[in-house]
Amino acid sequence: DFESVIEDVTPGSVKADTNFKKDIETWDSLAVLSVLAMIDSEYEKVISGEELLKCNTVQDVYDLVASKS
């Protein structure tokens, strides 16, 4: 759940097409680490920071995690 791990994000505001680099003001290195930890914890998948930084939208991250099966 992206909204719960990124600071100051309004619940319900993050959609599949949300560009977190442009649309989320608090997207920073701490947010990246938080999302990586959430993916590892909730989905038991490990992705690198480099892989995450190549993603632009929530859908991109979902597709990346799905590809790690």
Side-chain angles (χ1 to χ4, degrees), residues 17-29:
D17 63 347
T18 297
N19 184 317
F20 36 78
K21 294 175 187 175
K22 292 180 181 176
D23 300 333
I24 300 175
E25 290 182 27
T26 56
W27 184 255
D28 58 12
S29 58

Side-chain angles (χ1 to χ4, degrees), residues 8-9 16 20 25 27-28 49 52 56 63-64:
D8 296 330
V9 173
F20 36 78
E25 290 182 27
W27 184 255
D28 58 12
L52 182 59
N56 291 310
D63 293 342
L64 175 61

Side-chain angles (χ1 to χ4, degrees), residues 1-5 14 34-47 52 58-69:
D1 181 11
F2 280 83
E3 296 168 337
S4 68
V5 298
V14 177
S34 297
V35 169
L36 290 173
M38 181 266 304
I39 291 169
D40 184 29
S41 173
E42 290 190 22
Y43 301 102
E44 297 181 352
K45 307 282 183 179
V46 176
I47 63 171
L52 182 59
V58 174
Q59 185 66 50
D60 293 341
V61 175
Y62 175 82
D63 293 342
L64 175 61
V65 171
S67 75
K68 295 290 185 171
S69 52

